[in-house]
Amino acid sequence: MKRKLTVFVLLALLLTLLVLPAQAEEGLYYVTDEADILTDEEDMELETLLQGISEEHNIGVYLVAVDDYTDYGDGSVYEVTYGLYHEYTMGKGEERNGIMLLLSMEQRDFATFVYGADAEYAFSDYALQQLEEEFLPYFADNDWYEGFRAYATTCDEYLTKAEEGKPVEEGDGMIYLIVIGASFLIALIVVSILKAGMKNVRAGQEAKAYITRELNLTQRSDQFTHTTRTERKIEKSDSDSKAHSGGGGHGRSGKF
Amino acid sequence: MAAQVTNYQCPACTGPLNFDPETGKVSCEFCGSSYELAYIEELYAPKEEAAVEASAKEANGGEGWDASGISDDWGEDTKGMKSYSCPSCMAELICDATTAATSCPYCGNPTVVPGQFSGALKPEYVIPFKLKKEDAVAALKKHYGKRFFLPKTFKDGNHIEKIQGVYVPFWLYDGEADGTAVYDATRSRTYKRGDYEITETDHYVVRRSGDIAFEKIPVDASSKMPDEHMDSIEPFDYSELRPFSTAYLPGFLADKYDVTIDESKQRADKRCEGTLESELRKTVQGYHSVVSRHRDFNILRGKVHYALLPVWLLNTKWQGKDFLFAMNGQTGKMVGDLPVDKKKYWFTFFAIGILLSIIGLAIVY
């Protein structure tokens, strides 16, 4: 009897160990609202949304809201976010790719942390900065749900771009400006050519039609005088290091 | 008293004679008879001589009656005007002193003023009109047709106010240009060494000298004709130059020159120099950049010829503005600036710009 009880306890423990991570993955991984700033419905909706995005891209997208980040570890809000990510072994795949947004309501501090080569490819420093501009205006108005939704949908957009080989990079805005500028320059050239066709009255500058003896070249000299030399240091492109950074992860922090 | 002008009238019916560009003959508007130029020239030579003499006498104050009490000073307004009597209807014609052929506004008869082309004023050559009024109207329509920015109201509501076939006086300059042009030229090469991009540029002083000859560079000798229009209808085919005869003039307007050879020569010189410069520049090749530094050209002026060349002038008016078109009466080349529909211009600009932006952004996004 005692032996049967021992087997039962061991089986129960084993079952508990098997079930707990599954619960953790479904209940804790994507939305952790310790500060209780979301309604249950909002919590559920965001959980479903983030789970869908994470599974689609195989990169975990997480958000955590706490009352006071100092309750969860020592150091800055960024360091605590970094600690939580590793403490709960978050991320997807062997490289544990993921991005985490943490809000600390007491200090109104936030931090983002990105980990894993694929995640870091999608979320460069510049991309994180652009991401902040999407959700911070909502947090400034205490509109937590819409802020989180903006975070989720923007993460989805950036991950899609990264998968297409076009991650959000610093030059993007400039490229768009160049494309628009070049388009209007071509438009100007086209209308200028068409407009030039409206005028065909010009003063004569030459008299080629009336040449009776072609050019008789009497002197032809090409005298070399000197050589000038200029050197220009080849700048390394910044985008190389951003696109291939990885290992320890990176992130940003600030106030909302 | 002999008339100062000559009406070319049909020997058969006395109807007005006109030069016909299609046949190259002189024909009667009324009975349709046509005559060789040589026949008409011979027929009208005595009349023209009489007209020249009458014109000279008029200039000397006439004869017989004492007209000393009548002032011939018409003041500033009529400076440069001359009066003639139409031999057909005897109407008094007042026209520009440079007019050599016109038509009587009362009876419509073509009128030639032979004195205008006597002595040193006589043109050496004429290129007869090859194209008719209908050709000029058709050419103007074709000129409108291709232009995308032409306002629809200009095209639809535009009426040709006046069409005139004019023999325009031209000076034709023979000459040579010689000289030297100096250029600064460079040839560059770029290569990488370590972290550096190195550009080496070889500098050269390029010198070219040469000479070139021209014959019959045309410069219009009428102050009434816009120079740019006359330059733009070139070139003329000189193989059709004919010795001058007033028999080519009936039916068209004709002016004698009022811009002298000296006043016009700058324009011919400029074109000679421009051509020499362009021909010398063509010989400077194999460089990445060529900048003109200095040039020293001489013009060796040769013979100058006086010719009447055929031009159709068409005047239109739109929104209170005058538009002048000119067509080479020999080759049919039509020139004239057209108005631009500003709304269409900006719409096209933004439409192309926006469309290309959308396509471009879709590609880079």
Side-chain angles (χ1 to χ4, degrees):
Chain A
M1 184 67 191
K2 205 172 181 179
R3 194 178 166 194
K4 277 184 183 176
L5 188 65
T6 309
V7 171
F8 175 76
V9 170
L10 281 171
L11 279 171
L13 272 172
L14 187 64
L15 193 66
T16 308
L17 285 170
L18 284 171
V19 170
L20 268 178
Q23 279 183 334
E25 193 161 320
E26 282 179 6
L28 299 174
Y29 262 4
Y30 302 109
V31 181
T32 308
D33 181 19
E34 290 292 323
D36 206 16
I37 55 176
L38 297 169
T39 64
D40 288 347
E41 290 78 22
E42 288 172 344
D43 196 324
M44 288 277 284
E45 275 179 37
L46 287 169
E47 182 69 28
T48 308
L49 180 64
L50 290 179
Q51 185 178 359
I53 294 167
S54 301
E55 285 172 0
E56 186 188 339
H57 302 289
N58 202 30
I59 289 174
V61 179
Y62 311 101
L63 60 88
V64 179
V66 296
D67 287 322
D68 184 350
Y69 72 88
T70 56
D71 294 341
Y72 298 84
D74 296 329
S76 66
V77 65
Y78 173 73
E79 285 166 336
V80 168
T81 310
Y82 175 95
L84 285 173
Y85 192 92
H86 288 296
E87 188 178 338
Y88 289 92
T89 57
M90 299 177 105
K92 283 205 164 274
E94 284 182 14
E95 291 187 352
R96 292 177 48 224
N97 282 292
I99 177 170
M100 177 187 273
L101 167 66
L102 182 139
L103 263 56
S104 181
M105 308 312 291
E106 179 74 28
Q107 299 85 0
R108 292 188 77 88
D109 279 347
F110 79 93
T112 49
F113 176 69
V114 182
Y115 189 76
D118 290 347
E120 291 197 72
Y121 176 65
F123 297 102
S124 62
D125 282 342
Y126 176 76
L128 287 178
Q129 201 176 331
Q130 297 301 303
L131 180 62
E132 285 168 16
E133 286 177 16
E134 297 296 325
F135 60 70
L136 282 179
Y138 293 106
F139 294 159
D141 294 338
N142 294 341
D143 190 349
W144 317 114
Y145 175 70
E146 285 303 327
F148 288 140
R149 271 193 68 83
Y151 163 76
T153 53
T154 309
C155 283
D156 186 24
E157 182 191 328
Y158 288 11
L159 288 168
T160 305
K161 283 185 176 180
E163 282 170 1
E164 290 167 352
K166 295 172 184 170
V168 176
E169 288 178 342
E170 196 163 0
D172 280 3
M174 188 56 76
I175 285 170
Y176 299 150
L177 280 178
I178 289 169
V179 167
I180 293 166
S183 300
F184 278 92
L185 185 67
I186 292 167
L188 185 65
I189 291 168
V190 170
V191 293
S192 298
I193 290 169
L194 289 172
K195 192 181 173 187
M198 305 296 284
K199 292 188 184 295
N200 67 349
V201 176
R202 289 173 196 91
Q205 302 296 327
E206 295 186 2
K208 284 181 184 170
Y210 310 101
I211 293 173
T212 50
R213 193 186 68 234
E214 294 296 329
L215 177 69
N216 169 36
L217 205 58
T218 53
Q219 187 192 9
R220 184 188 185 112
S221 80
D222 297 59
Q223 189 184 350
F224 171 75
T225 56
H226 64 286
T227 299
T228 53
R229 180 185 155 104
T230 57
E231 289 184 2
R232 186 180 69 84
K233 190 164 173 45
I234 300 164
E235 299 292 334
K236 295 280 183 198
S237 172
D238 290 343
S239 61
D240 289 348
S241 59
K242 271 184 192 166
H244 299 99
S245 66
H250 71 275
R252 292 170 58 83
S253 62
K255 294 273 185 192
F256 57 88
Chain B
M1 183 184 155
Q4 298 154 260
V5 294
T6 306
N7 271 166
Y8 280 72
Q9 290 171 315
C10 177
C13 73
T14 69
L17 290 175
N18 286 312
F19 177 74
D20 183 353
E22 256 181 14
T23 59
K25 292 179 178 177
V26 179
S27 60
C28 175
E29 277 180 26
F30 291 164
C31 69
S33 306
S34 68
Y35 305 94
E36 292 294 336
L37 288 171
Y39 172 72
I40 293 297
E41 278 172 11
E42 196 182 336
L43 190 67
Y44 278 88
K47 268 183 110 176
E48 285 188 3
E49 279 169 23
V52 172
E53 277 175 27
S55 181
K57 277 183 184 170
E58 176 70 20
N60 293 330
E63 60 176 311
W65 299 99
D66 178 9
S68 58
I70 303 169
S71 170
D72 61 353
D73 180 11
W74 287 31
E76 280 300 306
D77 289 348
T78 53
K79 196 179 173 185
M81 306 297 279
K82 248 181 161 180
S83 65
Y84 308 99
S85 293
C86 173
S88 180
C89 69
M90 302 308 290
E92 190 77 359
L93 309 179
I94 297 174
C95 60
D96 197 295
T98 59
T99 300
T102 182
S103 59
C104 175
Y106 301 100
C107 67
N109 272 356
T111 303
V112 173
V113 189
Q116 298 287 55
F117 292 134
S118 61
L121 307 177
K122 187 184 176 188
E124 284 177 76
Y125 302 111
V126 60
I127 294 180
F129 270 91
K130 269 183 90 176
L131 299 166
K132 298 199 291 186
K133 187 187 272 187
E134 296 75 30
D135 299 319
V137 175
L140 185 64
K141 280 188 181 162
K142 199 177 166 196
H143 186 60
Y144 289 172
K146 290 184 253 173
R147 318 296 161 168
F148 182 71
F149 286 140
L150 189 68
K152 199 169 179 299
T153 52
F154 182 87
K155 210 173 184 177
D156 297 343
N158 185 249
H159 300 290
I160 300 166
E161 295 209 331
K162 200 161 70 174
I163 304 180
Q164 291 177 322
V166 184
Y167 279 107
V168 178
F170 274 81
W171 298 121
L172 309 179
Y173 293 85
D174 294 347
E176 284 184 32
D178 68 43
T180 300
V182 181
Y183 305 92
D184 289 325
T186 63
R187 208 176 280 150
S188 301
R189 58 195 168 276
T190 302
Y191 56 90
K192 284 181 186 174
R193 183 174 289 165
D195 289 343
Y196 287 87
E197 185 181 83
I198 296 163
T199 303
E200 288 182 346
T201 306
D202 294 335
H203 296 256
Y204 295 83
V205 173
V206 178
R207 197 178 295 272
R208 297 283 187 273
S209 299
D211 55 73
I212 194 165
F214 303 91
E215 199 175 284
K216 297 190 181 70
I217 298 172
V219 177
D220 78 88
S222 169
S223 60
K224 284 183 280 185
M225 293 296 150
D227 294 345
E228 292 182 347
H229 278 74
M230 294 302 105
D231 286 354
S232 302
I233 58 169
E234 289 180 26
F236 286 93
D237 178 4
Y238 288 152
S239 68
E240 291 179 349
L241 272 179
R242 301 279 179 268
F244 176 74
S245 164
T246 51
Y248 291 106
L249 307 187
F252 300 99
L253 296 179
D255 283 343
K256 70 168 187 175
Y257 74 84
D258 63 350
V259 181
T260 65
I261 293 172
D262 268 358
E263 286 166 339
S264 299
K265 72 182 179 193
Q266 297 300 331
R267 287 176 58 203
D269 289 355
K270 190 180 157 197
R271 292 177 66 178
C272 289
E273 288 178 1
T275 309
L276 179 60
E277 163 81 54
S278 161
E279 294 297 304
L280 289 173
R281 173 65 184 81
K282 273 189 208 165
T283 67
V284 184
Q285 289 181 334
Y287 294 100
H288 294 128
S289 76
V290 179
V291 178
S292 177
R293 186 210 280 185
H294 168 73
R295 69 179 208 184
D296 183 15
F297 294 160
N298 299 307
I299 302 297
L300 306 171
R301 298 190 183 101
K303 206 172 172 193
V304 183
H305 312 272
Y306 179 24
L308 295 186
L309 305 182
V311 180
W312 281 103
L313 293 175
L314 302 93
N315 292 80
T316 67
K317 214 167 204 171
W318 182 69
Q319 293 189 347
K321 274 180 78 179
D322 291 318
F323 291 86
L324 173 68
F325 302 91
M327 187 182 90
N328 186 318
Q330 181 193 29
T331 65
K333 184 179 180 188
M334 171 67 75
V335 302
D337 293 345
L338 293 163
V340 172
D341 185 333
K342 285 185 180 167
K343 275 185 192 167
K344 210 171 184 182
Y345 176 89
W346 288 113
F347 176 80
T348 308
F349 170 72
F350 284 110
I352 295 172
I354 291 168
L355 187 70
L356 288 178
S357 296
I358 291 168
I359 294 168
L361 291 173
I363 291 167
V364 300
Y365 192 68

